[in-house]
Amino acid sequence: MPPLTEPAFWVLTALAEGPLHGYAVLKRVGELSGGTTSLRVTTLYATLDRLSQQGLVRLVSEEVVDGRARRTYEITPDGRGQLTAEAERLLARARAAQQQLQARPQLGHALVTTS
Amino acid sequence: MSAPRDPYERLLRWYPRAWRDAHGEVFLATMRDADDDAGRARPSRADAWSVRVHGTAERLTPAAGWGLATAGALASLVSVVLLFTQLGGDGRSPSTGWEVLTTPAALAQLLASAAAPALVSLGAVALLRSLRVLSDPASVLAGTAAVVAWGVASVTSTSWGVGFERADPGLEQTPFAAATWPLFLAAAVVGTVAAAAVWDGVLSVVPALRDTRGQHRPRALVRRALAVVLGAPTSLFLGLGALALGSSVVVGAGVAAACLVRRRDPAPRVVPRAQAPVPSPLPRRRRPLVADGRRAAAAGQLAVAALLVGSAATVHALWGIFWQDALVYAGVPFASLPSMNLGLAVGSVALALVVVAVPLLVVPGRSRTALLVTAAVVVAVLLRGLDALRGPESNIALMLVGAAVLGLMAAALLARVLPGRPALRWPTAVLLGAALGVSTGIGVLAVAPLLAPLGAATLVVALLVSAARVRRARLQPAGHDVAGPGLHVVDVDRQRP
């Protein structure tokens, strides 16, 4: 399974906690990424379209609120599975990096004490 | 139809109607929500550009790709026809360059030769976008740059032609003729941009160069640098390839067929199968080549005949000059023909025997399709032989007819295999068949008669190996894995008439 693209990762992450409509997804992505990722509306709908085709998200409801159309999406079990796999992949990488970082001061300390 | 006043609705026009009908209202509502929160009364400039790019890219669907590639292939045919109508203008005054804009036929030829590769490129971009090799911005960049590059390349080619025409009698160059190199450079640079955009998408498939969270910048920089390095020779190669007459017909037909396959078909066609193949209990490498002994015997006899006749024909074609006089003196029919022509003619007969033998071995049971394909190929091969028999003055007319027969046969086969409605399927199949007939058919027919002994020898060896396998299987003790329970092996030798 190929790694998720940046927008697909954040859209699935936003929808993992429950169904959201388009604009709510945009806002949630901004919050979850700590402001580092800001999706454009065009990217959001292109991503949702692609994820729907892949069966990773699905449309739940469509309604009009205050004169504006809203379409609510939710993550599918397949989407949840792919996001879980992606999170584990990222965790494994982060863990490897942390182990390497922790190993270096010990090596330095050992050199100092033996000399 | 007047443009809407609302800036949001005006932007939405960049998307195709089908997309607007499906997502338009929700899309606009989300944009308005985002701008309300940001305190804006109209879309930001960046958002507006994003809508233009994504809306344009959304039009590059596989269906649009089919239309663009087919139009490109047709434009290429038109440009070839127009080019031939303008040949033979001896006695004209040398061109100044302005004729291309003032003579309708020359202008039409210029436009058609520029439009053909440009349309095919757009079709290819649509195909790559549907395969998710190209992102929306990359698709728009590649498509726009390709159209501009082909336009400038076409003008470059005309400028070079004018310069050549004037240089021959030693006339002074016009500004248009002198602009060849700057035009060539401009076409190469813009073409490199288009090719690099495509390479960037292709290289993104490589895991080591794919963007991942947190470290995408260094990877993207390396990938883009590599894309430019690969894009420069690619653009030159494609530019030179487009100079070959009708090359856009071949590429356009291929892209159109690929788009047709890629196009989401609401009701996919199922090609009916006459009979489902029965799985054999033997491992593939131990199965006999053919289960029908009579067919194997017939194929073997044809292959041996083709091997003998074909070998003699090829030897005569290559070295017949040494004994041609003796054959003429002995009164052998057609011996006075050039040895290459006589060798090709006889080799065609040998090749026809091989063509008949192959389906006897590889096609199980009776198949109308196999019969028609075999008949078409045999006719094409015999036409090639007749063409050789007519001697050097034949002008390869019969060989061209043979290639056309092969093209028609390919078209009929492709029309059965390709998905989509008949109105889309048949033009694509005919275009692709014509392209195959012209590009591959002529080349294959030209040399294949000399290679008939190789094909025949392959068949003979395959049959001998197959017969040995059957004999070995029969000699194995019962219960052995080769001749397991329920295995029915037909003895090739015993069933010979």
Side-chain angles (χ1 to χ4, degrees), chain B residues 132-143:
Chain B
R132 299 201 184 104
V133 170
L134 291 183
S135 65
D136 284 357
S139 304
V140 173
L141 175 64

Side-chain angles (χ1 to χ4, degrees), chain A residues 68-99:
Chain A
R68 287 183 183 175
R70 293 212 190 286
R71 205 173 270 173
T72 304
Y73 292 87
E74 72 173 5
I75 192 168
T76 63
D78 280 355
R80 202 168 278 282
Q82 185 137 352
L83 185 60
T84 307
E86 182 74 4
E88 280 168 3
R89 197 179 64 80
L90 292 172
L91 263 177
R93 294 174 68 141
R95 214 174 287 129
Q98 274 179 338
Q99 277 172 1

Side-chain angles (χ1 to χ4, degrees), chain A residues 1-7 9-10 21-24 26-27 40-46 49-50 53-54 62 64 67-71 73 86 89-90 93, chain B residues 15 19 21-27 29-38 44 46-47 50-52 54 58 132 136 210-216 219 264:
Chain A
M1 175 183 320
L4 291 167
T5 60
E6 181 90 3
F9 172 81
W10 284 115
H21 62 76
Y23 184 53
L26 281 189
K27 284 209 293 192
R40 289 193 190 285
V41 180
T42 47
T43 312
L44 171 73
Y45 280 97
D49 210 17
R50 200 172 58 243
Q53 282 172 21
Q54 291 172 331
E62 203 165 349
V64 177
R68 287 183 183 175
R70 293 212 190 286
R71 205 173 270 173
Y73 292 87
E86 182 74 4
R89 197 179 64 80
L90 292 172
R93 294 174 68 141
Chain B
Y15 281 91
W19 195 94
D21 291 345
H23 306 288
E25 279 189 43
V26 182
F27 178 79
T30 311
M31 277 196 88
R32 286 189 172 115
D33 281 343
D35 286 341
D36 285 353
D37 267 10
S44 68
D47 280 344
S50 181
V51 171
R52 289 181 193 118
H54 283 271
E58 199 62 45
R132 299 201 184 104
D136 284 357
R210 194 182 290 142
D211 288 344
T212 49
R213 272 160 301 289
Q215 52 173 322
H216 59 281
R219 286 186 180 195
R264 266 176 268 155

Side-chain angles (χ1 to χ4, degrees), chain B residues 72-123:
Chain B
L74 293 175
S76 179
L77 283 176
V78 169
S79 85
V80 171
V81 171
L82 286 172
L83 183 70
F84 278 107
T85 58
Q86 292 175 69
L87 289 178
D90 292 340
R92 287 181 311 178
S93 58
S95 174
T96 59
W98 300 114
E99 289 91 318
V100 295
L101 298 175
T102 53
T103 316
L107 182 61
Q109 203 272 328
L110 174 70
L111 290 176
S113 65
L119 289 166
V120 172
S121 300
L122 284 176

Side-chain angles (χ1 to χ4, degrees), chain A residues 11-79:
Chain A
V11 169
L12 288 179
T13 303
L15 290 173
E17 61 190 352
L20 293 172
H21 62 76
Y23 184 53
V25 173
L26 281 189
K27 284 209 293 192
R28 197 75 189 106
V29 167
E31 289 162 13
L32 287 168
S33 66
T36 58
T37 299
S38 165
L39 296 182
R40 289 193 190 285
V41 180
T42 47
T43 312
L44 171 73
Y45 280 97
T47 307
L48 283 171
D49 210 17
R50 200 172 58 243
L51 291 174
S52 300
Q53 282 172 21
Q54 291 172 331
L56 303 182
V57 302
R58 67 172 157 241
L59 183 65
V60 183
S61 64
E62 203 165 349
E63 57 191 347
V64 177
V65 179
D66 297 335
R68 287 183 183 175
R70 293 212 190 286
R71 205 173 270 173
T72 304
Y73 292 87
E74 72 173 5
I75 192 168
T76 63
D78 280 355

